[in-house]
């Protein structure tokens, strides 16, 4: 007898996380962004550089809808311990692709203070890329401390700590298929 596999209606339930954007809302926004990117990069030599680890889900889903050829690489920076930015950015892991003359799109999960993306963008420009644009799933404009030009934004979020769809709190919650607010006051250290 055939086994019936019922699709899960909801992802893993974390009762303390208040849903901000559902998996369905994220999927349609990500597809629209991919269409915009495809139109803008038609006939160009696109290199996507994802910022690890937070961008992995956004980048993975977005590229499935791209209509232009693309190369993918990753870098890793850190400026965070827990939920407060130090403003000190460190390159943990560098991308390997020769960026000279390439049109680079730098992809991250969220732009918050802007320190990480400003640092990563400058780093790629120093590697002689022809252009470096920035794409993020989330923008938290109220917390910006340094100007970084963001070309593609999925959603604007309020000044709350958000998790899921790649975003973590101390390495947890990345697996959630939705984006939610984590009430840090209830979670503790
Ligand atoms: P920055 O302050 O713009 O440099 O943000 C750097 C990084 O902090 C982002 O790439 C995220 O990984 C992380 N981050 C900022 N805000 C949040 C948040 O609300 N939830 C989870 N991670 C965040
Ligand atoms: Mg990050």
């Amino acid at each position: 007898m055939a086994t019936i596999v019922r699709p899960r209606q909801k992802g893993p339930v974390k009762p303390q996380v208040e849903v901000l954007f559902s998996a369905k809302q994220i999927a349609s926004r990500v597809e629209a962004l991919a269409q915009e990117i495809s139109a803008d990069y038609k006939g160009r030599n696109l290199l996507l550089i994802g910022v690890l680890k937070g961008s992995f889900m956004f980048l993975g889903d977005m590229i499935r809808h791209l209509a232009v050829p693309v190369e993918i690489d990753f870098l890793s920076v850190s400026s965070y311990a827990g939920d407060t930015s130090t403003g000190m950015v460190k390159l943990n892991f560098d991308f390997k692709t020769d960026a000279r003359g390439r049109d680079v799109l730098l992809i991250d999960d969220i732009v918050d203070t802007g320190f990480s993306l400003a640092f990563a963008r400058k780093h790629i420009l120093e590697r002689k890329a022809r252009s470096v644009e920035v794409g993020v799933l989330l923008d938290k404009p109220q917390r910006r401390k340094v100007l970084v030009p963001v070309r593609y934004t999925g959603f604007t979020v309020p000044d709350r700590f958000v998790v899921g769809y790649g975003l973590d709190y101390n390495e947890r919650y990345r697996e959630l298929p939705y984006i939610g607010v984590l009430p840090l006051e209830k979670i503790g250290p």
Side-chain angles (χ1 to χ4, degrees), residues 109-130:
D109 50 0
I110 185 166
V111 56
D112 186 29
T113 63
F115 285 124
S116 309
L117 281 170
F119 174 94
R121 187 170 176 272
K122 183 166 170 272
H123 174 69
I124 300 168
L125 282 168
E126 282 165 3
R127 298 265 291 261
K128 305 270 186 291
R130 195 168 82 111

Side-chain angles (χ1 to χ4, degrees), residues 51-55 77-80 82-87 89 108-118 138 140 143-144 146 148 157-164 166-169 174 180:
V51 182
L52 289 173
K53 303 173 195 171
S55 70
V77 289
S78 57
S79 68
Y80 255 66
D83 69 323
T84 42
S85 176
T86 59
V89 183
D108 205 355
D109 50 0
I110 185 166
V111 56
D112 186 29
T113 63
F115 285 124
S116 309
L117 281 170
L138 306 176
K140 211 192 271 181
R143 297 239 321 157
R144 197 79 83 256
V146 55
V148 49
V157 292
D159 186 9
R160 309 278 305 277
F161 199 81
V162 291
V163 293
L167 290 109
D168 73 309
Y169 174 63
R174 290 192 200 275

Side-chain angles (χ1 to χ4, degrees), residues 14-21 140 157-164 173 176 178-187:
K14 301 275 184 295
Q16 66 273 52
V17 179
E18 170 202 330
V19 178
L20 206 56
F21 304 109
K140 211 192 271 181
V157 292
D159 186 9
R160 309 278 305 277
F161 199 81
V162 291
V163 293
Y173 304 102
L176 298 180
Y178 50 85
I179 290 165
V181 171
L182 191 67
L184 288 180
E185 62 285 359
K186 291 190 202 154
I187 303 293

